[in-house]
């Protein structure tokens, strides 16, 4: 089963690819489907981009809504989560001394976004310091909530963190925010196709996710979900046709964000094919097997390095971040690639140097065995 699955991807067979978390690989069927849409567009661009695009996008949004547990009309496609969060952050009209609360685990590009937006509006950007090791949910939440003040207007938090690969307890955080009238904006870039997701049940104000990561959709497919009551407050970063010329069968939210002239929409049309691939290959079962491997190999790593886990086992999904006793992460990453053909991120986070491995459909246990062997050799 494993090798059949691996052969459905286009990855170079000589490469051990352990970085799905940064840039996910696409199955052949998904890339072929993208090609079909592009051929259809080029046969008659007016027909696809003008006459047909609106119902096609609605169909794709509905399929995605069904997958992530919300109405298709409550989400719009964006190229990536950073675009989506920029649209939101710039729409909020933050005021002097309003506080935006996030954590030191925030994704780097979005750290820059909030820092700049808060500077422009004279709001305060506060990052709760939640250093590893994280020992328990209660301890984590108490510490995080201790940063909330009467001026907190926004909580912006990752559902699965980028650098530290932890699943954060966003259910409790959203509930806490709701009870205090604080806007809960969730960065779920890593969640769709990684964890079962039901946005309606979670009930955040705003949620963004990437389809081109764990859902294996083509690069440049992500989404922004906005609760109905807030949709008129969130503006697209680009004012285009949908600003004034509204298609009557669509809400102002959909018109303003979706109708963007000659922007290439074909990657968005491939999302139903990506969902079919996930379902045909039992993504949830496969994810559980990968998760078990991620946890057991973390134990092996920790023993080898005589190191500590940065979070409990049940905070891990299909990625794990391990502390490494090295000084030069770039050189270590290059050695893994050049000597062992292993593609994996190695970087500094706060005051620790770490490596993060990801496991998806095409990975096998031997990939992680090879990684552990290579790390051991390089450290020796
Ligand atoms: C937690 C998190 N948020 C957001 C993103 C958004 O990525 P991009 O830079 O493509 O917008 C990523 C990408 O890895 C991420 O890990």
């Amino acid at each position: 089963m494993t090798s059949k699955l691996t052969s459905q991807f286009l990855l170079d067979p000589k490469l051990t690819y352990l970085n799905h978390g940064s840039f996910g690989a696409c199955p052949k069927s998904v890339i072929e489907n993208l090609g079909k849409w592009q051929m259809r567009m080029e046969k008659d661009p007016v027909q696809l981009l003008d006459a047909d695009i609106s119902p096609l996008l609605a169909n794709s949004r509905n399929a995605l809504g069904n997958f992530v547990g919300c109405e298709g009309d409550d989400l719009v496609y964006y190229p990536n989560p950073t675009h989506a969060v920029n649209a939101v952050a710039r729409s909020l009209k933050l005021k002097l001394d309003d506080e935006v609360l996030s954590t030191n685990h925030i994704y780097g590009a979005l750290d820059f976004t909030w820092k700049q937006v808060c500077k422009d509006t004279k709001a305060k950007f506060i990052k709760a310091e939640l250093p590893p090791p994280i020992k328990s949910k209660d301890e984590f939440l108490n510490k995080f909530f201790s940063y909330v003040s009467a001026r907190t207007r926004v909580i912006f938090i990752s559902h699965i963190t980028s650098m530290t690969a932890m699943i954060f307890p966003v259910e409790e955080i959203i509930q806490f925010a709701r009870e205090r009238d604080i806007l809960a904006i969730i960065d779920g870039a890593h969640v769709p196709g990684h964890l079962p997701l039901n946005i309606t049940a979670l009930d955040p104000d705003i949620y963004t996710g990437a389809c081109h990561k764990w859902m294996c959709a083509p690069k440049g497919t992500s989404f922004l979900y906005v609760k109905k009551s807030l949709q008129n407050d969130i503006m697209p970063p680009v004012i285009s046709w949908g600003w004034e010329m509204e298609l009557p069968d669509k809400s102002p939210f959909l018109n303003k964000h979706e109708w963007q002239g000659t922007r290439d929409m074909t990657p968005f049309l491939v999302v139903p094919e990506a969902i079919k691939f996930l379902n045909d290959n039992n993504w949830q079962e496969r994810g559980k097997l990968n998760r078990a491997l991620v946890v057991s190999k973390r134990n092996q790593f920790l023993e080898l390095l005589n190191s500590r886990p940065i979070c409990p086992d049940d905070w891990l999904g299909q990625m794990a971040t391990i502390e490494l006793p090295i000084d030069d992460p770039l050189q270590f990453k290059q050695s893994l690639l050049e000597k062992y053909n292993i593609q994996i991120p190695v970087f500094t986070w706060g005051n620790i140097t770490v490596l993060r491995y990801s496991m998806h459909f095409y990975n096998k246990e031997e990939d992680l065995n090879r990684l552990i062997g290579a790390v051991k050799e390089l450290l020796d």
Side-chain angles (χ1 to χ4, degrees):
M1 174 181 151
T2 309
S3 61
K4 216 173 118 219
L5 248 177
T6 306
S7 70
Q8 292 186 52
F9 285 78
L10 293 154
L11 287 164
D12 180 348
K14 291 198 285 299
L15 192 64
T16 300
Y17 196 78
L18 289 169
N19 194 4
H20 197 94
S22 294
F23 301 107
C26 268
K28 287 177 196 162
S29 60
V30 166
I31 295 300
E32 280 162 9
N33 190 259
L34 175 64
K36 275 190 203 150
W37 284 112
Q38 290 187 328
M39 289 301 280
R40 177 166 158 185
M41 174 166 70
E42 296 310 327
K43 275 189 185 149
D44 184 349
V46 170
Q47 186 64 34
L48 185 87
L49 289 173
D50 197 17
D52 295 346
I53 197 66
S54 182
L56 287 171
L57 280 172
N59 181 54
S60 175
R61 273 193 283 99
N62 288 336
L64 178 59
N66 198 31
F67 188 74
V68 299
C70 69
E71 282 179 39
D73 283 357
D74 290 343
L75 56 84
V76 281
Y77 279 115
Y78 265 86
N80 63 15
T82 304
H83 255 79
V85 175
N86 264 266
V88 172
R90 287 157 192 270
S91 298
L92 291 182
K93 301 195 178 71
L94 293 168
K95 292 192 295 293
L96 175 73
D97 289 339
D98 279 349
E99 291 177 7
V100 174
L101 175 60
S102 191
T103 75
N104 57 329
H105 298 248
I106 189 174
Y107 178 64
L110 293 169
D111 185 20
F112 298 157
T113 301
W114 284 109
K115 226 188 276 172
Q116 188 58 42
V117 169
C118 288
K119 190 172 169 205
D120 292 345
T121 54
K122 300 192 166 48
K124 288 199 179 105
F125 180 43
I126 296 171
K127 286 193 286 181
E129 280 299 319
L130 304 161
I134 287 177
K135 297 240 171 68
S136 75
K137 184 155 73 172
D138 280 352
E139 190 192 327
F140 173 90
L141 288 173
N142 286 337
K143 191 133 193 226
F144 180 63
F145 293 149
S146 74
Y147 284 84
V148 173
S149 82
R151 292 185 180 276
T152 308
R153 243 195 93 195
V154 174
I155 287 179
F156 176 74
I157 190 134
S158 307
H159 193 164
I160 299 181
T161 62
S162 171
M163 318 284 257
T164 47
M166 298 180 194
I167 303 172
F168 273 180
V170 293
E171 296 83 351
E172 287 84 348
I173 294 172
I174 293 168
Q175 196 186 334
F176 179 97
R178 197 183 313 119
E179 286 162 3
R180 287 157 185 83
D181 230 2
I182 298 170
L183 208 62
I185 306 176
I186 309 299
D187 173 5
H190 284 279
V191 175
H194 191 158
L195 303 176
L197 175 62
N198 186 330
I199 294 179
T200 307
L202 266 183
D203 199 22
D205 293 299
I206 290 170
Y207 194 103
T208 181
C211 308
H212 55 215
K213 285 191 187 291
W214 299 87
M215 285 178 72
C216 299
K219 312 291 175 286
T221 40
S222 297
F223 69 88
L224 171 66
Y225 159 89
V226 181
K227 193 181 257 188
K228 273 197 197 339
S229 57
L230 293 170
Q231 287 178 359
N232 288 339
D233 300 331
I234 305 300
M235 301 299 147
V238 174
I239 293 176
S240 184
W241 285 100
W243 197 258
E244 289 198 19
M245 292 187 47
E246 302 205 337
L247 298 174
D249 58 331
K250 288 190 170 181
S251 66
F253 172 67
L254 291 174
N255 272 303
K256 287 189 165 75
H257 290 259
E258 196 165 83
W259 193 1
Q260 295 272 333
T262 324
R263 195 169 93 184
D264 183 6
M265 301 286 185
T266 53
F268 304 147
L269 304 181
V270 184
V271 167
E273 181 68 26
I275 294 172
K276 181 175 180 308
F277 181 87
L278 295 179
N279 289 333
D280 286 352
N281 291 289
N282 303 317
W283 70 276
Q284 296 204 39
E285 283 313 303
R286 183 79 203 165
K288 280 185 201 149
L289 295 175
N290 278 335
R291 195 189 150 265
L293 273 175
V294 163
V295 171
S296 75
K297 295 296 161 183
R298 181 171 80 153
N299 290 336
Q300 230 172 294
F301 251 124
L302 297 176
E303 207 172 304
L304 168 75
L305 301 167
N306 196 17
S307 178
R308 58 184 185 162
I310 64 167
C311 64
D313 284 353
D314 61 358
W315 286 47
L316 296 179
Q318 290 172 231
M319 302 192 286
T321 294
I322 311 276
E323 229 179 308
L324 282 183
I326 57 166
D327 297 326
D328 190 344
L330 214 61
Q331 197 203 340
F332 201 82
K333 175 186 159 38
Q334 261 331 91
S335 300
L336 284 169
L337 186 59
E338 284 162 14
K339 291 194 188 150
Y340 302 93
N341 263 321
I342 297 175
Q343 187 66 272
I344 190 163
V346 185
F347 50 88
T348 300
W349 179 77
N351 56 7
I352 57 176
T353 302
V354 294
L355 147 159
R356 187 193 70 191
Y357 57 85
S358 306
M359 292 286 284
H360 210 0
F361 286 119
Y362 48 85
N363 290 112
K364 304 178 270 314
E365 181 173 4
E366 65 201 62
D367 294 344
L368 289 182
N369 291 341
R370 193 170 308 133
L371 173 68
I372 293 173
V375 168
K376 185 170 180 330
E377 272 184 25
L378 287 175
L379 290 179
D380 282 349

